[in-house]
Amino acid sequence: MPVEEFDVVVAGGGPAGSTVASLVAMQGHRVLLLEKEVFPRYQIGESLLPSTVQGVCRMLGVMNELAGTNFRVKHGGTFRWGARSEPWTFSFADSPQLTGPTSFAYQVERARFDEILLRNAQRKGVEVREGCSVAGVIEGDERVAGLRYTDSDGGEHEVRARFVVDASGNKSRLYSSVGGARNHSDLPGGLALSGYFGRCREPAPYSGNTLIVAFESGWFWYTNITGGLSSVGAVVRPEMAEKIQGDREKAFAALIAECPLISELLSEASRVKAGKYGKLRVSENYSYHQTALWRPGMILVGDAACVMDPVLSSGVHLATYGALLAARSINSVLADDLDEKTALTEFEARYRREYGVFHDFLMSFYDMDVSEESYFRQAKKVTNSERTELESFVDLAVGLSSGEPAPTAPGGEDDAPEVPLFPGGMVASPDGMKWLPYPEAIRS
């Protein structure tokens, strides 16, 4: 069996895998990325947060490429949620960390967005091999030492590497090699039934926003993507799961009829019934986290590490933010700046904190008997923020509650030095690519 050697081998070419691979390769390290599919490929989860666009995508160098697409720009979020009978809206610009030019994100076609990140990884020096299915890890001397995979022609291979990153999603075959267990959350969960529509009406006042609408059986998302195309899905509570059994066309039509606001917006629309957007898809809506996110030689990022209820569109944010944290740790170790335990302890603490903030907030967000001001107060509480209640909510909703400067573009609220997120912890280097001990960061 052929054996190759790299500094890092990444399983999975989605946003998490492409991000960590690119950021490590940009530091001059040899990186191999293995992806079982051939891009472009379909993926749901079209709504991005400013933390991904203005932070991670800026670091990756794809801002101009994204600006050259026809992806819809969004400036906030709109909810028909809670006690108020009318929709309420927040603006990304309500966060002091986002100045005018940076207070936006995109609604993307994930097939195109994910391919942009993957091809960018190749330009950054990552060796990308598509159509390759990872079979398992190679165990070394008390650490993971590489991966075994099968290529598109059925050939079997081994890759040795200093680090293995599992970014292969929620159906990962590798995550259990880290140890620990998947802990599922008590968030409501349920099943989602979704499809795509053309010629959709756009909800005012912010037509680029994702509209989230609660209704008796659960909630809808309504996302205008590009070229008149909209992603629409209904998430039904577990006890209502029978509503999406059987004929999906009839089930979707019945759910739409149950929600007057969505029914009105789709009144002149037509469902796409051909091509990659032609299917009605059923998916599980659940939240979980892995109790161990790393072991010597191996790191979990993206859905292999954790999955969050999608009501705040946090999926790509958690994936790319975790990838950024992992890349900092790997770069620090490969440069002999930090030992592996110190670097990856920082990675895990920050990653868990970000997941935990969204999780704890959403536990109260499903209380439908309160106003949006109550949600704002809860955001301030769970983030332990010194900002106003509204600002705390927006910081959380845009993925910036961690307070570190790297995910935001220059020109935000202030340029004060970063302080550790945890006592005795690390801070990001000025370029955001590695960790620095706090006193050293002050001197630099």
Side-chain angles (χ1 to χ4, degrees), residues 183-367:
N183 276 2
H184 286 260
S185 166
D186 291 331
L187 286 168
L191 292 176
L193 178 60
S194 61
Y196 294 82
F197 290 78
R199 304 198 309 274
C200 293
R201 295 176 58 187
E202 298 188 358
Y206 296 102
S207 62
N209 293 359
T210 292
L211 172 65
I212 302 293
V213 182
F215 71 116
E216 184 176 353
S217 298
W219 58 272
F220 266 95
W221 76 78
Y222 184 98
T223 303
N224 298 125
I225 303 173
T226 183
L229 182 69
S230 294
S231 171
V232 181
V235 179
V236 300
R237 299 193 303 273
E239 63 270 24
M240 300 287 186
E242 73 278 358
K243 290 195 173 187
I244 61 175
Q245 305 300 320
D247 188 305
R248 293 182 181 180
E249 292 284 355
K250 292 181 180 179
F252 205 28
L255 289 169
I256 291 169
E258 194 178 327
C259 185
L261 179 52
I262 296 298
S263 181
E264 179 185 356
L265 290 170
L266 294 176
S267 60
E268 299 177 3
S270 58
R271 194 177 73 77
V272 178
K273 295 186 178 181
K276 61 184 177 182
Y277 296 124
K279 296 180 180 178
L280 288 177
R281 291 178 166 88
V282 173
S283 56
E284 290 186 87
N285 175 39
Y286 48 73
S287 304
Y288 64 76
H289 70 275
Q290 186 71 10
T291 59
L293 298 182
W294 70 277
R295 60 174 281 204
M298 185 173 180
I299 306 171
L300 306 182
V301 295
D303 288 1
C306 58
V307 167
M308 178 52 61
D309 181 299
V311 70
L312 291 183
S313 303
S314 59
V316 176
H317 160 64
L318 285 171
T320 56
Y321 180 61
L324 169 61
L325 300 176
R328 286 180 184 161
S329 298
I330 292 169
N331 288 336
S332 298
V333 175
L334 293 181
D336 294 324
D337 293 338
L338 293 173
D339 64 273
E340 186 175 19
K341 182 177 180 180
T342 298
L344 288 173
T345 296
E346 186 71 28
F347 151 80
E348 180 160 5
R350 288 184 181 243
Y351 205 179
R352 289 198 184 283
R353 186 261 178 202
E354 193 71 2
Y355 175 89
V357 162
F358 278 94
H359 179 273
D360 293 349
F361 174 76
L362 289 180
M363 290 296 289
S364 64
F365 195 60
Y366 276 95
D367 181 355

Side-chain angles (χ1 to χ4, degrees), residues 66-142:
L66 292 177
T69 67
N70 59 346
F71 293 153
R72 291 298 302 272
V73 174
K74 70 170 185 174
H75 294 283
T78 302
F79 291 84
R80 204 338 279 152
W81 193 276
R84 183 185 291 195
S85 60
E86 297 298 320
W88 52 273
T89 294
F90 71 91
S91 170
F92 296 153
D94 290 329
S95 168
Q97 300 187 73
L98 293 171
T99 60
T102 65
S103 58
F104 73 89
Y106 290 109
Q107 311 280 28
V108 300
E109 291 183 76
R110 282 290 303 278
R112 295 171 63 195
F113 175 74
D114 290 10
E115 187 170 29
I116 286 172
L117 296 191
L118 187 67
R119 302 308 168 212
N120 179 68
Q122 290 178 304
R123 293 194 297 270
K124 300 299 185 187
V126 177
E127 183 162 343
V128 174
R129 298 176 187 171
E130 297 170 76
C132 293
S133 180
V134 175
V137 304
I138 300 171
E139 294 287 349
D141 185 13
E142 297 184 351

Side-chain angles (χ1 to χ4, degrees), residues 363-381:
M363 290 296 289
S364 64
F365 195 60
Y366 276 95
D367 181 355
M368 296 295 183
D369 296 324
V370 300
S371 68
E372 62 267 32
E373 287 80 12
S374 177
Y375 302 139
F376 300 163
R377 287 194 295 272
Q378 183 64 15
K380 181 177 175 67
K381 178 180 178 181

Side-chain angles (χ1 to χ4, degrees), residues 20-99:
V20 67
S22 297
L23 294 176
V24 173
M26 288 164 65
Q27 292 290 289
H29 305 300
R30 296 185 65 237
V31 183
L32 172 66
L33 186 152
L34 302 171
E35 166 57 45
K36 67 179 180 179
E37 298 188 49
V38 176
F39 280 37
R41 54 88 175 98
Y42 172 82
Q43 183 67 35
I44 202 167
E46 296 92 352
S47 191
L48 304 186
L49 301 186
S51 56
T52 299
V53 174
Q54 305 298 339
V56 174
C57 289
R58 192 176 298 275
M59 292 180 69
L60 294 174
V62 297
M63 290 292 286
N64 289 339
E65 193 169 357
L66 292 177
T69 67
N70 59 346
F71 293 153
R72 291 298 302 272
V73 174
K74 70 170 185 174
H75 294 283
T78 302
F79 291 84
R80 204 338 279 152
W81 193 276
R84 183 185 291 195
S85 60
E86 297 298 320
W88 52 273
T89 294
F90 71 91
S91 170
F92 296 153
D94 290 329
S95 168
Q97 300 187 73
L98 293 171
T99 60

